[in-house]
Amino acid sequence: MTPEKILYEAEMKAHGGRDGKAESPDGSISLSLSVPKGLGGPGGEGTNPEQLFAAGYAACFLGSVKLVARTSKVPLTDEASVTAKVGIGPVPVGYALAVELTVSLPGVERATAEEIVAGAHERCPYSNATRGNVDVKLTVA
């Protein structure tokens, strides 16, 4: 699926791979990267691609949840949240990701929350990018 028009474009440059740095051209982001112990690395204070993907997916998905709730006229509290877990593991040819999104919508009835989450999954750009490529489990807390 290709957008009709690009409304915003982000750019990051990585140096050194999983144990290097990632930086934005405007200097607003500069991150050290570390290979996690679970992938055979030393761990450390740097972040990793899976954490960055989880942060982006959680934030984007919550934005989609808010959009669906607003258009459905369902008020959400400021405590609404999305937790994204991104796992990585071997497949026959390399590695693949698995994602679990846990959505908390305090004060919203479970059935309504499930409808909102399903609608958000249809609209979220990260969900659209992963659909058919990455297993994504949705959970309403």
Side-chain angles (χ1 to χ4, degrees):
M1 181 181 312
T2 303
E4 294 174 18
K5 177 181 176 184
I6 301 296
L7 301 175
Y8 170 75
E9 189 171 70
E11 183 177 343
M12 293 289 289
K13 186 174 192 176
H15 305 271
R18 284 183 165 269
D19 56 355
K21 289 189 73 101
E23 301 168 326
S24 62
D26 65 3
S28 64
I29 299 174
S30 180
L31 301 167
S32 294
L33 304 172
S34 299
V35 179
K37 288 182 180 181
L39 292 178
E45 294 186 22
T47 188
N48 60 65
E50 293 72 35
Q51 287 176 323
L52 296 170
F53 186 75
Y57 204 160
C60 189
F61 198 83
L62 183 54
S64 295
V65 164
K66 288 180 170 185
L67 171 68
V68 172
R70 185 172 56 252
T71 58
S72 301
K73 299 190 182 344
V74 176
L76 298 180
T77 68
D78 290 340
E79 286 76 39
S81 66
V82 174
T83 300
K85 290 184 183 178
V86 174
I88 184 171
V91 293
V93 199
Y95 291 84
L97 300 176
V99 175
E100 180 178 1
L101 300 175
T102 303
V103 182
S104 175
L105 301 178
V108 178
E109 290 184 20
R110 182 169 198 83
T112 301
E114 288 172 351
E115 288 176 16
I116 290 170
V117 168
H121 193 48
E122 291 299 314
R123 289 164 178 78
C124 176
Y126 279 67
S127 293
N128 286 331
T130 59
R131 189 170 288 110
N133 299 308
V134 175
D135 288 334
V136 178
K137 178 182 176 188
L138 301 173
T139 303
V140 175

